[in-house]
Amino acid sequence: MNLSFFDQFSSPSLLGIPLILIALTFPALLLPSPDNRWVTNRLTTLQLWFINLVTKQLMTPLNNKGHKWALILTSLMIFLLLINLLGLLPYTFTPTTQLSMNLALAFPLWLATLLTGLRNQPSASLGHLLPEGTPTPLIPALILIETTSLLIRPLALGVRLTANLTAGHLLIQLISTATVALFSTMPAVSLLTLLVLFLLTILEIAVAMIQAYVFVLLLSLYLQENI
């Protein structure tokens, strides 16, 4: 029984062919394609408003050099948001519950921000490893601690996204299983758990949106340190 709870996190396949690529490309099909008209329909207008809002929130802390990353960060934000929300639908697979995928997104982008800082301002980037005014005996220990905290940033990004989504999916499945199991014996308790399930679903929708925003926001903060 416990093993079945984790079956939803296994990558689906058909005739030995993994279907995770379809799950990754499907959110792009939901976005309306733009055309040459200035004003199209309400859905396109809402999409443009949302993209402008996200871009403004992400680019406000950055200077003009960081605005070159607007397309990458905004696209990543919308990509993660759609995948997280679609994963809450019944009989769907959420690719962002896979740690390998989240690390594949976090590590290259973190490394790009780090290399950008080392190329443009190497002294300032290396200066983050040693705070100003550090006593001489503490210099080796602080350099080691700061280097470790710098290197675990992509791991923290991937684990945070994976853990939050995995925990939410498990809670939804546990409570829904309890709702069905208690319906025949204790209908009142089953209705109470159904209410808890409804509230938890609303919470998970918020978590899916917040985690996508936090993932990209932290990347923009890492970029801010290196430009």
Side-chain angles (χ1 to χ4, degrees):
M1 183 66 178
N2 293 332
L3 293 177
S4 63
F5 287 151
F6 294 92
D7 289 343
Q8 58 178 321
F9 303 117
S10 60
S11 180
S13 60
L14 179 63
L15 300 178
I17 302 175
L19 301 179
I20 188 171
L21 293 179
I22 298 178
L24 293 176
T25 56
F26 183 74
L29 302 178
L30 300 179
L31 299 176
S33 58
D35 52 22
N36 296 327
R37 293 180 295 177
W38 283 13
V39 180
T40 52
N41 52 32
R42 292 182 178 88
L43 182 59
T44 305
T45 304
L46 181 62
Q47 174 189 342
L48 293 177
W49 171 82
F50 179 74
I51 292 175
N52 290 333
L53 179 63
V54 170
T55 306
K56 182 179 179 180
Q57 292 293 328
L58 294 176
M59 295 297 109
T60 298
L62 303 177
N63 55 22
N64 292 331
K65 293 182 180 180
H67 293 175
K68 299 177 182 179
W69 290 65
L71 179 61
I72 297 176
L73 295 179
T74 305
S75 301
L76 179 62
M77 167 73 182
I78 297 175
F79 175 72
L80 291 176
L81 180 62
L82 290 176
I83 285 183
N84 293 347
L85 292 178
L86 289 175
L88 294 174
L89 296 176
Y91 303 104
T92 56
F93 171 69
T94 311
T96 45
T97 56
Q98 306 295 313
L99 181 60
S100 57
M101 175 188 163
N102 295 333
L103 290 179
L105 290 174
F107 183 77
L109 293 173
W110 166 82
L111 184 61
T113 60
L114 182 62
L115 294 179
T116 300
L118 292 175
R119 184 189 65 179
N120 295 333
Q121 46 180 15
S123 299
S125 297
L126 295 176
H128 291 301
L129 301 179
L130 184 62
E132 186 177 356
T134 303
T136 304
L138 298 179
I139 289 179
L142 277 179
I143 291 179
L144 181 61
I145 292 173
E146 292 295 331
T147 303
T148 304
S149 65
L150 178 66
L151 295 178
I152 66 173
R153 282 180 174 181
L155 180 63
L157 282 176
V159 170
R160 181 186 296 107
L161 182 60
T162 303
N164 281 282
L165 296 180
T166 302
H169 283 62
L170 284 176
L171 281 175
I172 289 177
Q173 185 167 3
L174 284 170
I175 296 178
S176 61
T177 303
T179 302
V180 175
L182 295 173
F183 183 75
S184 58
T185 56
M186 292 181 286
V189 179
S190 178
L191 291 177
L192 181 60
T193 55
L194 181 62
L195 177 61
V196 174
L197 178 62
F198 176 73
L199 297 177
L200 181 62
T201 303
I202 297 177
L203 177 63
E204 283 305 310
I205 293 175
V207 168
M209 299 172 66
I210 292 173
Q211 288 304 315
Y213 177 70
V214 168
F215 188 93
V216 181
L217 179 63
L218 289 176
L219 283 174
S220 66
L221 294 179
Y222 299 157
L223 178 63
Q224 182 184 3
E225 295 180 356
N226 293 283
I227 57 175

